[in-house]
Amino acid sequence: MRGTPFLVRLIYGGYRRPKFPTPGVDIAGRIEAVGRDVTDFKPGDEVLADLSEHGFGGFVEYVCVPATALVSKPATVPFEAAAAAPTSAVAALQALRDAGGLQAGEHVLINGASGGVGTFAVQIAKHLGAEVTGVCSTAKMELVRSIGADHVIDYTETDVTTAGVEYDLILDTAGSHSMSAYRRALTPTGRYVMVGGPTERFLRALILGPVLSMPGNRKFGGFNLTVNRDDLAFVTELLESGDLTPVMDRRYELREVPEAIRYVEDGRAKGTVVITSEETI
């Protein structure tokens, strides 16, 4: 969002200024109007979407969205819950299932289990039949337990890379250790997937992951979200069934977006932060 380190400007566009001036990716609301060729939706329908491939721009009262990006919101799912889920929940799903190849019965470590992607990853991993260990700070341990983690580790007390426990899959949303350090905590056929963390370390994972994967059967790599309507619909079904519950830390009004961004940037948020607009909800 700030364009730092400079390399991210080459990835997301905007050499001198942001390519997409209005931020905001996840949205949920009611349809105000539809184009003449739209047949799947009508005014008044409740929907959600991920705008990351459609110019961003979610921090507004009204947004124009391609119909192909929308998924119907179940009546039983509140707007705030629907708005909290698209990017983070789909990222957790794809990182665990696709990039990580998670199988039922495997033991997965989720580093950064109290964050936006992490809280969804804990719940989705449990839904997929895994044994889950979450890593977070002391203050957030009860939260991670409450969403289904089988084990919770306080990173201020324990270094998971030297604790002597091996995991089939490590999902890293914090980037607090190097990939070579995580090698010690993987089974001989274990996989490491980096979802978030410092940009420099994330880019290093994309570049060095294949190199570290070469000796032996362990696999290392970064992760890139693929916007996928089917996966968003699957996540929405989990929301409707109650198998997935967004952890929402704070709610801000539209005029408070700068304050909300600062709060998330400071690393204080537990789960997600939601922006509300009375015009739509």
Side-chain angles (χ1 to χ4, degrees):
M1 183 174 290
R2 293 189 179 277
T4 57
F6 191 81
L7 184 59
V8 302
R9 302 188 185 196
L10 303 180
I11 298 173
Y12 293 105
Y15 178 73
R16 292 187 174 182
R17 60 181 62 86
K19 180 178 180 181
F20 306 111
T22 303
V25 174
D26 300 332
I27 62 168
R30 294 190 184 91
I31 293 177
E32 180 73 14
V34 299
R36 62 184 180 184
D37 296 327
V38 174
T39 58
D40 294 342
F41 300 99
K42 63 183 184 303
D45 285 353
E46 299 178 353
V47 295
L48 62 153
D50 176 349
L51 302 182
S52 56
E53 290 192 352
H54 303 286
F56 294 76
F59 292 161
V60 292
E61 289 181 310
Y62 296 92
V63 63
C64 186
V65 183
T68 54
L70 296 173
V71 169
S72 295
K73 183 189 78 65
T76 56
V77 177
F79 280 106
E80 291 184 355
T87 301
S88 295
V90 171
L93 172 66
Q94 293 180 357
L96 290 166
R97 182 196 63 195
D98 303 333
L102 182 63
Q103 301 295 315
E106 290 191 317
H107 192 177
V108 57
L109 176 77
I110 298 173
N111 187 32
S114 62
V117 173
T119 51
F120 285 115
V122 168
Q123 298 175 75
I124 292 174
K126 289 298 296 180
H127 178 77
L128 296 176
E131 179 182 355
V132 178
T133 295
V135 181
C136 60
S137 65
T138 309
K140 300 175 181 178
M141 292 180 70
E142 286 304 316
L143 166 66
V144 175
R145 286 194 186 95
S146 72
I147 58 176
D150 300 290
H151 318 281
V152 183
I153 295 175
D154 181 352
Y155 71 78
T156 67
E157 300 288 339
T158 304
D159 183 345
V160 297
T161 68
T162 60
V165 180
E166 294 183 342
Y167 302 91
D168 299 295
L169 173 63
I170 295 176
L171 192 69
D172 189 9
T173 74
S176 53
H177 296 280
S178 67
M179 288 187 294
S180 58
Y182 277 121
R183 175 182 286 273
R184 297 190 294 265
L186 284 175
T187 64
T189 57
R191 293 87 65 198
Y192 168 89
V193 179
M194 188 172 192
V195 180
T199 305
E200 300 93 332
R201 187 163 289 175
F202 183 77
L203 295 174
R204 196 177 304 139
L206 292 175
I207 297 170
L208 297 180
V211 177
L212 286 172
S213 300
M214 291 175 66
N217 294 316
R218 297 180 178 91
K219 302 297 181 183
F220 296 82
F223 165 78
N224 284 320
L225 174 69
T226 300
V227 177
N228 185 310
R229 193 179 187 187
D230 290 337
D231 284 347
L232 181 56
F234 177 74
V235 164
T236 304
E237 291 174 4
L238 295 183
L239 292 173
E240 184 177 21
S241 68
D243 290 326
L244 191 63
T245 302
V247 175
M248 291 178 283
D249 187 330
R250 292 187 180 182
R251 284 85 164 162
Y252 290 87
E253 295 181 10
L254 191 58
R255 59 182 173 80
E256 299 174 311
V257 164
E259 182 182 345
I261 292 174
R262 284 191 292 268
Y263 180 72
V264 173
E265 188 177 37
D266 288 344
R268 293 175 288 167
K270 299 177 182 179
T272 59
V273 169
V274 177
I275 308 298
T276 63
S277 170
E278 293 302 324
E279 288 293 326
T280 54
I281 66 172

